[in-house]
Amino acid sequence: MMRLLVLTVMLVAATPAFAIAPIAEWQMENGLRVLLMEAHNVPMVVMRLTVPAGSSMDAPGKEGEASMLAGMLGDHTARHDYRAWADYLDAEAIRFGVGADRDGMSFSVTALSEASEQAVSVLQEALLQPGWDGKRFSILRSDAISSLKKSLEQPQVRAGIAAVHHLYGAHPYGHRSSGSPQSLAKLTISDLKRLYRAQVKPDQAVLAVSGDVTMPQLKRLLAPLASWKGKAKRAFQRLPDPEAAKPAVIPIAMPTRQATVQLVRIGLDRHDTMLFPALLMNHILGGGGFSSKLMMEVREKRGLVYGVYSYFQPLAVDGPFVISLQTRADQAAQALAVVRKVMTAMARGKISKRALDAAKANLVGGFAHRIDSNAKRVGLMSMIGYYHLPLDYLQRWQQRIKAVTLAEVKQVAARYLQPQAWSTITVGPK
Amino acid sequence: MLLALLLPQAAAAAVLHKASFANGASLVVEEDHSAPVAMVQVWLKVGGRDEVPGKTGLAHVFEHMMFKGSKKLAPGEYSHRIAAMGGNDNAFTSHDYTAYFETVPSDKVDTVLAMEAERFAHLRLDPSEYAKEIRVIMEERRMRTDDNPNARMFEELSAAALRLHPYRNPVIGWMQDLKKLTIDDVRAFYKAHYVAANATVVVVGDVDFAHVKKVVARTFGRMKRVAVPPRFDPVEPEPLGPKRVEVHLPGVQLPMVAVVMPVPVWHPGKNDREAAALAVATAILANGRSALLSRQLVDEQRKAFSVSAGYDPFSMGIDLWAAWAMLGKGNTPDDLLKALWKSISKLAHDGPSKAQLARTIRGIVADEVFAQDSLYLRARQIGSMESVGLDAGQRERWLQLLRQVTAKDVQRVLSRWIVPARATTGILLAKGKEK
């Protein structure tokens, strides 16, 4: 049992002001950008390669395409069937996986530093020598469909599906990355091959590396990737701006004791000039754990919930902004009223300098913790590289947090927190 | 060219510095100066097993009440202060221990230790705060268990599988008990269990051991000495034959099947070979991409869409060994069970291949290295071992034991412990739809 549910949502990734190692950059001739942060305290290397083949590239009616392609590229290659591939990866103690989210597809590798060379060859083989085994495709697809069905036992999943459909409709973000049982049933290997040939290319790709390796070593290691060539057909950033969805109330019936309530709207994109003020605003609202206003009002003062939080996802275009809570079904209206009251007050400018200073102190002081592992550093570097943020992003992060003014935070609160602009999804007993 | 030659040698295992104090409190420090951060964890040898019947959930109540005010701090102030230093805090409770932890900039470690010691020794336990917090805990139970069919099934299954051992009760407590707990129960539990001899302070990160030792000596080290009785650790009776429970719940989309059974944990120097072999056998069945159960039952025989198994050699008294499978459309529990036992008994009969054994062991050892990437996991590993009475310094010894496991050892422990006659089977089905 944890006292607080720990969220693993990619928030505005943040970071740093003590003397952190700078990000070293190298661009291969094929266009692949390589970013490295060295760390020699643990004999391991973590790598993540991101290509512009996220679920926003899924063809209409073929939702889940990118996700299934990721599943296939991770499962086997032309040289190794799934058994041989699994045996090899385990024998080398290489943890390897491929996954897709809205904006990109990532190949992740964790290996002992003594197996760095093998780790790169795994990446190379998975990227360049896909296996397209038809039998495995049917199995992976069937298991993905079962897994989607099983996930419908979770109220949060039901709410999430309703949220993306409502907020984004026919927009490329308007479906779950994993697709639906219906759309997966329609997929063919040819669909996956088409997406692979169009988008799994080095020119927009970023390889982030953190761990026990130096740049000269890395350059030698990456030589096998030189044969990867070509340009992706579409840029992942080229998406229509989503239009604000008409606020609605969406009830979903489930035989649960609690009601899961989500307030949702469209938020910001990764390059929004108000991103840092929004980060602080959200931290004060519901992103800052026990210090946040929602936690204080709904849980600490009234004991209505175990968890209540808010987050926004800054993507290539405006991602979702979500406020979520669960409470015994007969208390849902009361909890919701408290949330709306907090939002209204903040939207009207009731945010104190003290609250802002506390949020800044927490974020600035917590910076070192945000970059204290190879896994975290690779996540941040992938974001920095893929979204073309400046390489000194981490060095400047704390400064940018400190520079946010109260007026800016009030401005973003007024822009985003008007309750009437949000839709309400309630999952629970009728 | 062999790249390994160009790379730095694998780091030697980090050194654990230990100290203990006259009142029974102890300290373990692992220094890592790679970032100006430290993980501070206070571990207590107190958990669900220390509750009496009718009062389940008490140990976990503290995970909440420790943030609700002490002599010097108002309710909620603890977290606000940690947040103000750029830290974050949390806590968790198991059957065997309770732990409180903070990640903070390393120059704040002294302050945090003083705050931890203060609330530990002078918790307020205000009745009106308790009245609110117990409602939060009930919401936590509804979210984690009551509205989560898989979790509900495991709760029911553990209760059916064990007769004496406290692992039969949920750590969060039965809802019936939560409704009846009072602030007096909470106070009595606090007085009995929140004492120096139950505390282990673990610090991992950018700190100096000698300095931390001084700080802990004048905080936790100065608390009153109170004797603690031995912990409740009954001998679980040997199962007399297979048992089976069905859990029918509304909202279930697809069935889940699990088998559980009591197995020995590691007692250093007493059952080294057996415990290590159980760990390796379970890993052969369930770890990594080449895991045997997933390959045979999911990929080859199509009896389920996912299969896992787990064994914790560092539990207390026994571990409840488990294997569980998520069934897809058209799969039936009986087919799955038949295939599951066939896979396990075949491994017990034939033994693993050399390659299978080697890659499994290498994988476990590599995962130990990967876990070093997280200060949280490092501290957690140390704290959990110390709290169940295993010296955390024995971690290396454990890895050595794993390396020595042979195919025969694997066969022996599977035939002895992982057999249908000892198992309790649980089946989760949709209410109203079962055949």
Side-chain angles (χ1 to χ4, degrees), chain A residues 1, chain B residues 56-57 60 137 140-141 144-145 155 170-174 178:
Chain A
M1 300 303 112
Chain B
T56 60
H60 169 255
I137 294 168
E140 183 178 359
R141 189 190 148 89
R144 289 185 190 281
T145 312
E155 181 179 87
V171 171
I172 196 160
W174 297 104
L178 294 180

Side-chain angles (χ1 to χ4, degrees), chain A residues 53-68 100-104 148 157-184 187 195 234 239-240 242 266 313 315 318-320:
Chain A
S55 65
S56 65
M57 305 277 176
D58 290 349
K62 301 278 174 83
E63 293 82 12
E65 217 174 356
S67 213
M68 277 302 299
D101 60 19
R102 287 189 178 90
D103 285 345
L148 283 177
V157 169
R158 300 264 187 132
I161 294 171
V164 291
H165 288 161
H166 173 65
L167 289 181
Y168 292 98
H171 187 274
Y173 286 175
H175 62 278
R176 284 173 94 195
S177 295
S178 47
S180 69
Q182 298 74 24
S183 67
L184 291 184
L187 282 181
L195 179 61
R234 290 162 64 190
L239 291 174
I266 283 171
Q313 277 180 299
L315 300 173
D318 297 345

Side-chain angles (χ1 to χ4, degrees), chain A residues 10 99 126 135 163 183 185 188 192 194 233-234 237 273-274 283 303 335 354 376 392:
Chain A
M10 245 301 237
K135 198 170 160 217
S183 67
T188 63
L192 305 190
R194 198 176 319 119
K233 280 204 176 136
R234 290 162 64 190
Q237 299 94 333
T273 53
M274 293 302 267
H283 200 78
R354 219 176 127 196
K376 291 180 194 173
D392 64 354

Side-chain angles (χ1 to χ4, degrees), chain A residues 108-332:
Chain A
S108 303
V109 189
T110 300
L112 298 171
S113 36
E114 66 190 26
S116 304
E117 193 173 2
Q118 292 86 334
V120 171
S121 76
V122 162
L123 207 49
Q124 191 263 1
E125 191 174 326
L127 266 175
L128 302 184
Q129 304 177 60
W132 310 123
D133 178 333
K135 198 170 160 217
R136 286 302 289 170
F137 173 70
S138 323
I139 287 177
L140 294 176
R141 180 172 63 178
S142 157
D143 288 351
I145 290 172
S146 295
S147 175
L148 283 177
K149 189 160 161 57
K150 184 75 184 170
S151 74
L152 296 179
E153 290 173 7
Q154 303 166 40
Q156 297 272 19
V157 169
R158 300 264 187 132
I161 294 171
V164 291
H165 288 161
H166 173 65
L167 289 181
Y168 292 98
H171 187 274
Y173 286 175
H175 62 278
R176 284 173 94 195
S177 295
S178 47
S180 69
Q182 298 74 24
S183 67
L184 291 184
K186 282 188 230 151
L187 282 181
T188 63
I189 285 204
S190 316
D191 295 325
L192 305 190
K193 286 184 180 170
R194 198 176 319 119
L195 179 61
Y196 171 80
R197 286 189 195 123
Q199 296 303 127
V200 181
K201 300 291 179 199
D203 66 314
Q204 296 177 48
V206 173
L207 174 65
V209 182
S210 178
D212 186 19
V213 61
T214 65
M215 189 54 108
Q217 287 167 351
L218 191 57
K219 285 184 178 178
R220 276 192 296 271
L221 281 168
L222 293 177
L225 286 179
S227 59
W228 185 27
K229 296 256 161 72
K231 289 201 160 124
K233 280 204 176 136
R234 290 162 64 190
F236 78 92
Q237 299 94 333
R238 198 161 300 162
L239 291 174
D241 281 324
E243 284 174 32
K246 204 171 156 213
V249 175
I250 305 169
I252 299 169
M254 257 188 100
T256 49
R257 286 148 194 83
Q258 286 185 320
T260 295
V261 182
Q262 290 200 346
L263 293 177
V264 299
R265 60 161 294 155
I266 283 171
L268 296 75
D269 72 52
R270 173 58 65 189
H271 296 279
D272 196 301
T273 53
M274 293 302 267
L275 194 68
F276 280 82
L279 172 63
L280 281 154
M281 182 271 281
N282 180 61
H283 200 78
I284 295 167
L285 172 70
F290 281 94
S291 319
S292 75
K293 281 184 191 288
L294 289 177
M295 196 65 128
M296 179 54 71
E297 295 298 323
V298 190
R299 172 168 161 168
E300 299 296 280
K301 282 196 187 155
R302 296 176 178 82
L304 288 172
V305 299
Y306 169 67
V308 56
Y309 56 87
S310 65
Y311 69 90
F312 63 91
Q313 277 180 299
L315 300 173
V317 294
D318 297 345
F321 201 149
V322 178
I323 299 172
S324 181
L325 65 87
Q326 287 119 308
T327 186
R328 201 176 67 206
D330 62 346
Q331 301 176 146

